[in-house]
Amino acid sequence: EVQLAESGGGLVQPGGSLRLSCAASGFTFSSYWMTWVRQAPGKGLEWVANIKQDGSDKFYVDSVKGRFTISRDNAKNSLYLQMSSLRAEDTALYYCARDDGKYDYWGQGTLVTVSS
Amino acid sequence: DIVMTQTPLSLSVTPGQPASISCKSSQSLLHSDGKTYLYWYLQKPGQSPQVLIYGVSSRFSGVADRFSGSGSGTDFTLKISRVEAEDVGVYYCKQGIHVPVTFGQGTRLEIK
């Protein structure tokens, strides 16, 4: 059974940093692109970043470029999102998703709150 | 960036009646490989999104056949032939042809 489990969310002050993790199981992690999608409270879905199977290609939404870094460790079946210079507008539920184009599996999300 | 515009933003449907959601993209979603990268998702209350339709009209495994997708180029439609109570939630279209991937604003479906 495919499972994705995010962790690492929490309350952080503006300008702070946080590292999100996504533990994958039930499929060959190294064979798939992976994606982060976020959802601000009461709002819609926003694609954040994705990463190629071997980590050689990474893409970001403009609003996080230079502040967020997506990475992966295929040996640990894990996806990461290093977030720095956090802003109030980064407050959201962050989902990881298996990315074969159709985002067929999603985790339950981890909540990031940026507030003083 | 490609803008995805959904209409309506909300709809209230009597069980057993049909429902339709439109999604228009600001650019064509037809790739040179011949595929159209348009997807539909449903986010049920309190849950993560789930894929319903990919490639405009292909139903994902396990999705009820009352859901159907159609369209081409920049105009797409999700239809539910007979709405059931379990269909409540927010429906999103998404384009995957260009980075950044973008979603529509969402359409909230409620049951009358």
Side-chain angles (χ1 to χ4, degrees):
Chain A
E1 178 191 6
V2 173
Q3 291 190 333
L4 297 169
E6 302 91 340
S7 60
L11 175 62
V12 60
Q13 291 188 339
S17 299
L18 214 52
R19 189 199 198 203
L20 306 185
S21 299
C22 170
S25 61
F27 66 101
T28 305
F29 180 72
S30 59
S31 295
Y32 289 85
W33 282 74
M34 294 295 295
T35 283
W36 287 100
V37 173
R38 67 184 178 183
Q39 186 169 36
K43 302 297 183 182
L45 302 172
E46 180 183 34
W47 177 84
V48 175
N50 67 355
I51 184 168
K52 194 176 179 179
Q53 291 92 330
D54 62 0
S56 59
D57 283 329
K58 306 173 185 181
F59 299 94
Y60 301 89
V61 68
D62 281 351
S63 60
V64 308
K65 281 180 183 175
R67 302 188 300 121
F68 290 12
T69 301
I70 189 172
S71 63
R72 64 192 297 161
D73 185 335
N74 288 341
K76 294 183 177 179
N77 291 336
S78 292
L79 174 71
Y80 305 102
L81 188 67
Q82 178 68 48
M83 305 185 296
S84 60
S85 302
L86 283 161
R87 306 167 181 167
E89 54 264 37
D90 296 318
T91 293
L93 187 62
Y94 284 74
Y95 296 100
C96 63
R98 190 172 82 167
D99 184 354
D100 64 347
K102 59 181 176 288
Y103 301 1
D104 54 353
Y105 291 94
W106 299 62
Q108 289 303 304
T110 187
L111 182 62
V112 173
T113 303
V114 184
S115 175
S116 55
Chain B
D1 298 359
I2 295 178
V3 177
M4 305 296 287
T5 303
Q6 290 181 229
T7 55
L9 296 184
S10 66
L11 68 166
S12 182
V13 182
T14 301
Q17 294 301 302
S20 180
I21 300 170
S22 171
C23 175
K24 296 183 187 298
S25 59
S26 60
Q27 300 176 36
S28 175
L29 304 186
L30 175 62
H31 193 274
S32 56
D33 64 7
K35 298 178 182 178
T36 300
Y37 291 84
L38 186 281
Y39 308 82
W40 288 98
Y41 298 85
L42 165 60
Q43 186 173 30
K44 296 183 177 181
Q47 295 186 18
S48 303
Q50 58 188 86
V51 62
L52 298 174
I53 302 287
Y54 61 96
V56 178
S57 58
S58 297
R59 268 188 306 275
F60 185 63
S61 175
V63 173
D65 60 7
R66 63 180 182 276
F67 290 94
S68 64
S70 63
S72 63
T74 61
D75 288 358
F76 305 95
T77 302
L78 176 70
K79 292 183 178 178
I80 310 173
S81 58
R82 296 172 304 280
V83 170
E84 297 187 4
E86 65 184 30
D87 299 336
V88 297
V90 182
Y91 291 79
Y92 296 93
C93 61
K94 183 201 84 180
Q95 66 80 17
I97 193 172
H98 287 305
V99 170
V101 170
T102 47
F103 292 88
Q105 320 96 299
T107 296
R108 185 174 300 277
L109 174 69
E110 67 170 31
I111 300 297
K112 282 184 180 176

